[in-house]
Amino acid sequence: MARGELRIYLGAAPGVGKTYTMLEEAHRRAERGTDVVVAFVETHGRKHTQAMLADLEVLPRATLTYRGAEFTEMDLDAVLARRPEVAVVDELAHTNVPGSRHPKRWQDVQDLLDAGIDVLTTVNVQHLESLNDVVAQITGVEQRETVPDAVVRAAEQVELIDMTPEALRRRMAHGNIYKPEKIDAALGNYFRTGNLTALRELALLWLADKVDDQLDKYRADHRINVTWETRERVVVALTGGPEGDTLIRRAARIADRTKGADLMAVHVSRNDGLAGADPATLARHRVLVESLGGTYHQVIGADVPRALLEFARAVNATQIVLGASSRGRLAQLFTAGVGVTTTALSGSIDVHLVTHERAGQGRRARRAPAALSRSRRIAGFLTVLLGLPALTWLLHLGAGLSLTNDILIFLAAVVGVALVGGLWPALLAAVAGSLLLNYYFTPPVGRFTIAEGENLLALAIFVTIAIAVSWVVDTAARTTRQAAQAGAEAQTLATVAGGVLRGERPLMALLERLRETFTLDSVTLLDDGAVVAEVGHPICTRPADADAEVTGDGNLVILLKGRALQASDRRIVEAFAAQATVALRQERLTAEAATAKPLAEADRMRTALLAAVSHDLRTPLASAKAAVASLRSTDVHFDDDDRAELLATADESIDRLVRLVTNLLDMSRLQAGALGIAPIDVGAEEIVPRALDDLGPAGRTVRLHIPEDLPYLHADPGLLERIVVNLSANALRHSPHDRPPVITASSLGPAVEIRVIDHGPGIPEDRWGDVFLPFQRLGDRDNHTGVGLGLALSRGLTEAMGGTLTPEETPGGGLTMIISLPTAAGR
């Protein structure tokens, strides 16, 4: 059975018309004879959307009961049993009520697709998992319902439903999206023009990436290698030379000319793994590319132009930026060079050859390290000076060997010298051996002349082979040494890039690793002349004190104290310096984030406080003022009952104000550490009834189960009473009328636990931590009651007395709050 196809209508913002457009498509398919059913559509009371359901088959919803309340969800089993050709399923990111087959609706949709049913669905851009945090930063609203990007990207069709911010705000103002009482708040918050513009751009960019994925897949499926200039992608080729900075900045300017263009830097490494660019320079170039918004890549290939073009075509690049050849004119006469070859083979990709300071000046080859140690070279020369005369004497004594055998023996001696001392001793041995063979063994003997042509050819072959063997042996030794050095450098850099930067303080760990690696006394990092970090003995604070100085990116300088560095060591230190730039930037960003977090939290608290208190202050004030104004009025005559009711209203409203102000002041003092606590030994049977009396008639409905032999608590009576009042009031607010709250108490080791139990709808376990945040009113049936300080204040007061306040699920449904305080004997 073929899998069904998924078509998603992606909304840039709520209210742009994605559900309406989805239903239009459902009507079009139904008119063409397709079997279409509406599995679930949420109209939100919008009459135009409601009208679109006409003439469409709408399946009944499933009713689920959760924590004493009823909810409706899409009936997945009914849709599967009905097996339509097309199912219309609204709100893909929706979270199902516990008890459903799947936690999320997008998982229900996967079942429909697996059953071969095509699905039309909707989702807003703020619900995409990858954009969730970005949307929260823009709008200030965190979306708890998300759908994985992979689910949306896997859809056969994704259609963006878009609308200009001005048009969407007009729709909002005309009442086409929300109810009239919500319009002003929406326009002033989520639906601000800046928010809508940002959401619109996010949706366009995300969809552009989706289109890129589809294009790449199409080109791969059809084996299309030519570049399709659907989007500007600029690739800059880096050699690891000093011209890299110029090339990167030039490529960035080219990319900036087209908004949305991609910048990619690529370095082609030789596939022998030995000869390569300076890793420190490449690391610095990587930092620069990423700071300009680009990405860094590294590929391996023996043929640099072909490897570069293969990468460019793979990413569908439109332009390549290369540096002009640094080779001299003589070298360019023999080979075309990377730039010319790349241009000739680039096809439809534009190639920019950028001039720089080193262009045409010839390559400055780094001085190659000696293949063998100095002692071995000396031993090679001694072998030539002592061994060849001795060999000549021995061969002269054992006369009778042919000239061919003499030449072979001398050739073996040259190879031995090459193995002992390397190239130059071997070359000396080849020249000296040819002279000795000529003088002592080639007729006429005793003269540097050669009578026969064959002997001349034999000596010439001897010299040629001797030089060639010497060169091969020396090259092999040099390559072995380079490989060992490259392996050591790679291992050191891998350790730096991996283990060090994963620490909590990457910069200090990096500098400490540098000090240990080269056994230095101290390592100091300067930024624009100021000491940023230092490890070891603090004796190096300025360049004059340093034994070595290495420049990092920008104004960063690393000063090393302890010993002078060799040229090969400086390469690794420069790589450390490049990584230090990354580590310093990471620590500064972390510090900025840590500084911004309290400010953001304070701003959130202030906003929540203003939103909550503005309502909860006005309501009792308005009630009290209305009651007092009515009593003072001379236009209306009130009897005793009316007057008593008005006085009770005023009294109750003032009590609410007193509780509100008291909670706010106590919370402020608690956070400032200025709340006075006077703990004494007190019984729970004294505190709890008194707290319930403060709740008035409602408090008398709470059932108590407190043992007479309960140990004394060590607590502040006034604060404990406040805690019980807050928890009991909260439990009363959430408990059904036929099942009032219950308060029990019991001893548990050195503590007494007071449990405030309600049988209301409860709160999911993953939200228990949120109930103790100030200004949270989770699960309130009346969202306009209280400012959400009760539980936060109660936990703070409990902890201030050395106790704990923790939630627990009530068996059978509901929430239990457990106050645990030390006993008088166990404190």
Side-chain angles (χ1 to χ4, degrees), residues 92-286:
L92 184 64
H94 171 75
T95 300
N96 293 328
V97 174
S100 304
R101 181 186 297 188
H102 298 296
K104 304 289 288 188
R105 184 167 292 162
W106 63 264
Q107 294 171 315
D108 295 338
V109 168
Q110 296 298 314
D111 284 357
L112 297 179
L113 297 173
D114 291 339
I117 301 173
D118 294 346
V119 176
L120 306 179
T121 188
T122 64
V123 68
N124 280 330
V125 67
Q126 68 264 27
H127 295 295
L128 295 174
E129 183 67 44
S130 65
L131 301 179
N132 185 254
D133 57 338
V134 179
V135 173
Q137 291 176 354
I138 294 171
T139 64
V141 179
E142 182 179 357
Q143 301 292 337
R144 297 189 180 276
E145 295 186 326
T146 60
V147 59
D149 289 48
V151 174
V152 183
R153 291 190 184 278
E156 281 71 22
Q157 297 183 65
V158 177
E159 181 176 338
L160 178 63
I161 308 302
D162 190 17
M163 184 178 291
T164 64
E166 295 77 13
L168 185 57
R169 284 172 60 85
R170 281 197 300 270
R171 287 196 64 194
M172 174 70 71
H174 292 160
N176 294 330
I177 301 176
Y178 290 160
K179 294 180 179 180
E181 62 269 20
K182 295 184 178 180
I183 292 176
D184 291 340
L187 290 174
N189 292 281
Y190 194 91
F191 284 82
R192 293 196 300 267
T193 302
N195 288 356
L196 297 177
T197 302
L199 290 174
R200 189 184 189 197
E201 184 170 3
L202 281 177
L204 290 169
L205 291 175
W206 190 94
L207 193 62
D209 289 338
K210 160 73 174 174
V211 174
D212 276 346
D213 292 342
Q214 291 177 325
L215 179 60
D216 291 342
K217 183 177 184 301
Y218 179 85
R219 295 176 72 242
D221 291 344
H222 292 78
R223 298 181 180 179
I224 299 174
N225 296 322
V226 297
T227 300
W228 286 5
E229 298 184 17
T230 56
R231 183 175 181 177
E232 287 290 341
R233 287 186 174 87
V234 182
V235 172
V236 53
L238 301 177
T239 64
E243 75 280 358
D245 292 355
T246 302
L247 300 182
I248 292 170
R249 291 189 172 91
R250 178 60 182 276
R253 289 195 296 270
I254 294 174
D256 287 342
R257 293 171 187 168
T258 304
K259 188 174 180 59
D262 294 332
L263 173 63
M264 302 178 181
V266 60
H267 170 69
V268 180
S269 299
R270 290 277 302 276
N271 57 7
D272 55 17
L274 299 176
D278 187 350
T281 304
L282 288 177
R284 183 168 54 82
H285 288 165
R286 179 172 191 162

Side-chain angles (χ1 to χ4, degrees), residues 606-670:
R606 183 167 54 252
T607 302
L609 174 63
L610 291 174
V613 173
S614 61
H615 175 272
D616 287 275
L617 281 176
R618 281 199 302 265
T619 301
L621 277 175
S623 300
K625 181 175 177 58
V628 173
S630 299
L631 289 172
R632 294 186 60 189
S633 174
T634 58
D635 298 335
V636 180
H637 176 72
F638 296 100
D639 57 23
D640 292 341
D641 292 338
D642 292 336
R643 185 174 288 104
E645 184 178 351
L646 289 172
L647 287 173
T649 300
D651 183 61
E652 182 183 350
S653 299
I654 293 173
D655 285 344
R656 287 182 60 188
L657 282 174
V658 170
R659 287 196 297 270
L660 172 61
V661 174
T662 301
N663 279 342
L664 289 172
L665 291 177
D666 283 350
M667 193 69 187
S668 177
R669 286 196 292 266
L670 186 63

Side-chain angles (χ1 to χ4, degrees), residues 385 555 578 628-629 776:
L385 296 178
N555 297 323
V628 173
Q776 298 293 319

